[in-house]
Amino acid sequence: LYKEDFDPIAEIQDINTLEFEDFEFSSFIEDFEYQIVVNTTETYDHPIGSNFEYMNPGIFIEFPYYVFKLIKDPIRSKVYAIVRPRFTNDESDKYGILIIDTDSNTFEINSHILINDRFADLDISPDGQYLFLCQERVEKITKLNLDTMEATTFVTDTGQWGIHKIEVGNNNILYCHRDPPTSGDTQFWIYDGNNGSYINGPTGISRHGDTEFNIENNRLYSGRSNTTDGQIIRHTVNGNVVSTELTYPGFPNSISFPKPFLLLADDNQNIFWEHFQLSLDLNVIRTFDTDIKACSPSNIYLSDFDRLYNFNDMTIICEYPELPLTENTSMVFMDDNTLIFCRSYDTNSYFFKINIE
């Protein structure tokens, strides 16, 4: 068996062999040439072989738009992706939400909906029935019924700033962080996601960054970015008032300009932020030499954008092959053995499905 430039990669002794698996490849999307060459008793100055077969090793979807963020459905084999350009001032002819089916037999685009709405963030209700979406500089929250795919909207009131982060808490209470200016802190607005009614706001405070709501301890976590005073904050939401309860790290050990990413594991017990794994009380459990971007549901694996690790001791399970150029990368574990990976560059995105065996 030859691969690329008449390079032999295997000798098959049994002529009845119908399959060969090639585990050595450098790219998920690049096509490789394969050829079967028969060993003969004659001498030739070139291999005598079959036609060339072109194959790529990756399971992927190519999508002609930039994907901003990706989340999974907790009860369906689907992922939802925000379609929008990387920068606020860039425009596109389509926005909206891309829905991809990811079950064991299917990996394909289901639909591209709400294409006229440029969303900033999205989150799913704890019962998995509704997807809530917000927009920057637009006073509107969209509620999508994931059973019927019916969309309804309700109006917000943030002084025309809009919302850049949305989290769904218990009883579908929405915690919305107002779109921040270039720098500076902004506050939260709280709405009832069942009927769209205003509850409170502005209340509490944070800066840019990412947010996660933990339904187990009824706490809101936010990671401050775009500042030299980067911290992760635990907020209480008692009486529908957002208040700072704990912070890490304390002054003067703050992180300078941390990335706007915060990961709450599926077990609702572990938080990953920058190089840290933290408890719900923001105590450091361990420190890594990389930023963790995904955690499998049963805490078997961790992943950054380059490698898959054993959760317990961080031994490297595998390194990911070469992927397309990226300006933005998102990844989620669908289960303990399936990782969905999205890389976006310019006006193009690739979705990869990685099966862990």
Side-chain angles (χ1 to χ4, degrees):
L1 181 63
Y2 279 64
K3 174 181 175 181
E4 303 282 329
D5 301 324
F6 303 115
D7 180 26
I9 61 172
E11 183 176 358
I12 300 173
Q13 301 289 341
D14 182 1
I15 63 172
N16 294 312
T17 300
L18 299 179
E19 292 184 352
F20 175 81
E21 293 189 36
D22 180 14
F23 294 99
E24 300 294 328
F25 51 89
S26 59
S27 171
F28 273 139
I29 65 171
E30 180 183 352
D31 282 338
F32 296 100
E33 298 176 347
Y34 293 90
Q35 184 185 34
I36 299 296
V37 176
V38 178
N39 187 15
T40 67
T41 57
E42 301 294 331
T43 301
Y44 297 92
D45 59 359
H46 62 279
I48 304 299
S50 69
N51 60 304
F52 289 95
E53 184 72 24
Y54 296 86
M55 292 179 283
N56 63 71
I59 304 173
F60 68 90
I61 298 168
E62 186 174 4
F63 180 65
Y65 292 91
Y66 193 93
V67 168
F68 187 74
K69 185 176 180 177
L70 178 75
I71 66 170
K72 70 175 179 180
D73 190 313
I75 61 176
R76 304 169 188 84
S77 297
K78 297 180 185 294
V79 294
Y80 306 101
I82 293 178
V83 179
R84 53 164 280 192
R86 178 185 183 190
F87 298 110
T88 302
N89 293 330
D90 291 342
E91 296 183 350
S92 174
D93 63 332
K94 290 183 181 179
Y95 303 100
I97 296 299
L98 186 71
I99 303 173
I100 295 178
D101 293 327
T102 66
D103 65 31
S104 58
N105 299 315
T106 307
F107 186 53
E108 62 185 13
I109 293 175
N110 174 295
S111 57
H112 184 187
I113 62 174
L114 305 173
I115 62 173
N116 294 319
D117 288 315
R118 181 174 179 144
F119 297 111
D121 197 22
L122 72 175
D123 197 26
I124 296 179
S125 59
D127 62 5
Q129 295 305 303
Y130 298 100
L131 179 68
F132 292 89
L133 307 110
C134 62
Q135 299 182 54
E136 297 169 331
R137 309 303 170 96
V138 176
E139 295 285 15
K140 180 173 72 172
I141 289 176
T142 300
K143 177 182 179 180
L144 182 67
N145 185 316
L146 295 177
D147 286 332
T148 65
M149 302 310 293
E150 178 185 1
T152 57
T153 62
F154 50 87
V155 177
T156 58
D157 184 13
T158 62
Q160 301 304 314
W161 283 95
I163 297 162
H164 86 117
K165 290 292 176 182
I166 187 168
E167 285 295 313
V168 189
N170 291 306
N171 302 314
N172 290 345
I173 302 301
L174 307 181
Y175 300 91
C176 307
H177 192 224
R178 200 205 77 181
D179 188 29
T182 303
S183 63
D185 295 327
T186 52
Q187 295 173 295
F188 293 91
W189 270 250
I190 305 175
Y191 294 91
D192 187 334
N194 298 298
N195 54 32
S197 62
Y198 164 83
I199 294 176
N200 193 20
T203 177
I205 197 164
S206 190
R207 174 190 290 254
H208 293 261
D210 198 6
T211 58
E212 290 284 351
F213 190 89
N214 191 332
I215 60 173
E216 297 293 334
N217 64 358
N218 206 45
R219 295 292 192 276
L220 182 68
Y221 294 84
S222 66
R224 290 163 52 93
S225 65
N226 196 32
T227 175
T228 56
D229 186 25
Q231 296 176 314
I232 181 172
I233 305 171
R234 189 174 86 172
H235 308 266
T236 61
V237 293
N238 295 330
N240 297 317
V241 174
V242 176
S243 302
T244 297
E245 184 177 28
L246 296 170
T247 62
Y248 178 84
F251 182 83
N253 299 313
S254 303
I255 307 297
S256 183
F257 292 96
K259 299 176 183 65
F261 179 80
L262 177 65
L263 173 64
L264 176 64
D266 284 9
D267 65 1
N268 287 310
Q269 298 300 314
N270 293 288
I271 299 169
F272 299 90
W273 178 73
E274 288 295 293
H275 286 13
F276 306 107
Q277 178 183 345
L278 303 109
S279 69
L280 300 186
D281 295 328
L282 302 188
N283 295 314
V284 174
I285 297 172
R286 53 181 168 170
T287 302
F288 309 106
D289 59 4
T290 185
D291 292 347
I292 298 301
K293 300 299 183 180
C295 177
S296 66
S298 300
N299 294 346
I300 297 174
Y301 301 111
L302 294 172
S303 182
D304 59 16
F305 292 151
D306 299 309
R307 300 173 183 87
L308 180 72
Y309 303 92
N310 179 286
F311 180 94
N312 292 320
D313 59 15
M314 288 297 288
T315 54
I316 297 174
I317 305 298
C318 69
E319 295 191 12
Y320 302 127
E322 180 182 343
L323 295 168
L325 291 174
T326 183
E327 295 171 323
N328 185 58
T329 304
S330 298
M331 58 168 44
V332 291
F333 277 96
M334 300 303 296
D335 52 47
D336 285 322
N337 300 304
T338 309
L339 182 63
I340 304 298
F341 209 124
C342 178
R343 294 189 78 135
S344 299
Y345 182 80
D346 195 17
T347 58
N348 208 47
S349 298
Y350 287 92
F351 294 87
F352 299 94
K353 183 179 182 181
I354 301 175
N355 297 316
I356 305 167
E357 298 179 352

